[in-house]
């Protein structure tokens, strides 16, 4: 007997899920040690959740500045037991503290979110904790905000 398993990367397009969830162009330009990047997050929904970035923390403590170039964004932040959200529209800037986990959501069903960011080229990002928790503390879904069950809730 032979067992064959199909994985999501083989079938994604059949479900309307692009193989690339978002793109990051790193090092579009430099100013000293500061690096300018562009991130593009297309609009779509997977398992009821709006498209989002993976989420990480800067282990080197570097801050990061985002500028919304197009569309709208929801920035998620978590630091120890604090969790907060910041909505931003085209032209708005959002400062990412150097000591907290962060991710970005495109809350639109129709508009692509385009972001620029300035960040030290010496910055080191760590994704392990967010991977272990399967995301940030809350998910933004078509039904609203849902708590991630992989966190302890009081």
């Amino acid at each position: 007997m032979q067992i064959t398993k199909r994985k999501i990367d083989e079938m994604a397009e059949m479900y309307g899920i692009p193989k690339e969830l978002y793109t990051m162009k790193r090092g579009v330009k430099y100013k000293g040690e500061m690096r300018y990047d562009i991130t593009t997050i297309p609009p779509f929904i997977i398992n009821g959740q709006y498209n989002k970035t993976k989420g990480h923390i800067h282990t080197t403590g570097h801050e990061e500045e985002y500028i919304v170039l197009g569309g709208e964004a929801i920035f998620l932040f978590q630091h120890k037991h604090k969790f907060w959200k910041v909505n931003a529209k085209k032209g708005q800037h959002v400062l990412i503290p150097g000591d907290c986990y962060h991710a970005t959501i495109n809350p639109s069903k129709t508009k692509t979110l385009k972001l620029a960011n300035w960040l030290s080229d010496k910055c080191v990002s760590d994704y392990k904790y967010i991977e272990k928790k399967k995301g940030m503390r809350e998910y933004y879904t078509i039904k609203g905000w849902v708590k991630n069950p992989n966190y302890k809730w009081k």
Side-chain angles (χ1 to χ4, degrees):
M1 173 171 65
Q2 181 182 10
I3 298 173
T4 302
K5 295 181 180 182
R6 295 275 183 231
K7 297 190 176 180
I8 190 70
D9 63 338
E10 297 174 273
M11 300 286 294
E13 290 178 1
M14 294 180 146
Y15 288 98
I17 302 168
K19 287 189 176 189
E20 295 172 354
L21 302 179
Y22 59 98
T23 58
M24 297 172 289
K25 294 179 185 174
R26 298 184 191 269
V28 172
K29 62 182 166 181
Y30 289 88
K31 191 173 189 178
E33 77 171 42
M34 298 302 289
R35 186 183 77 216
Y36 183 79
D37 303 333
I38 301 286
T39 300
T40 304
I41 307 172
F44 60 85
I45 295 167
I46 300 176
N47 288 340
Q49 290 185 53
Y50 287 89
N51 195 10
K52 60 187 176 184
T53 61
K54 191 170 185 176
H56 62 275
I57 192 168
H58 301 155
T59 57
T60 47
H62 289 96
E63 293 181 336
E64 182 172 16
E65 180 185 13
Y66 275 97
I67 306 108
V68 179
L69 301 176
E72 296 185 24
I74 301 173
F75 291 90
L76 305 180
F77 301 92
Q78 55 190 69
H79 181 266
K80 298 182 182 176
H81 297 290
K82 292 172 86 179
F83 178 77
W84 67 102
K85 308 160 195 148
V86 173
N87 293 348
K89 295 181 181 183
K90 184 177 179 177
Q92 294 185 308
H93 294 237
V94 175
L95 184 64
I96 309 296
D99 62 347
C100 72
Y101 291 92
H102 55 282
T104 309
I105 298 170
N106 178 353
S108 175
K109 293 179 183 176
T110 59
K111 293 183 181 176
T112 295
L113 170 59
K114 191 169 183 180
L115 304 163
N117 66 285
W118 282 104
L119 176 68
S120 170
D121 201 36
K122 296 179 192 246
C123 180
V124 176
S125 299
D126 185 351
Y127 297 83
K128 290 182 190 123
Y129 180 77
I130 299 300
E131 288 170 348
K132 177 182 166 190
K133 294 292 191 177
K134 297 184 172 102
M136 301 285 280
R137 290 179 67 86
E138 294 184 17
Y139 303 125
Y140 188 54
T141 74
I142 56 175
K143 294 182 179 180
W145 290 99
V146 175
K147 292 180 178 182
N148 180 339
N150 297 301
Y151 289 85
K152 292 181 181 175
W153 294 93
K154 293 180 181 181

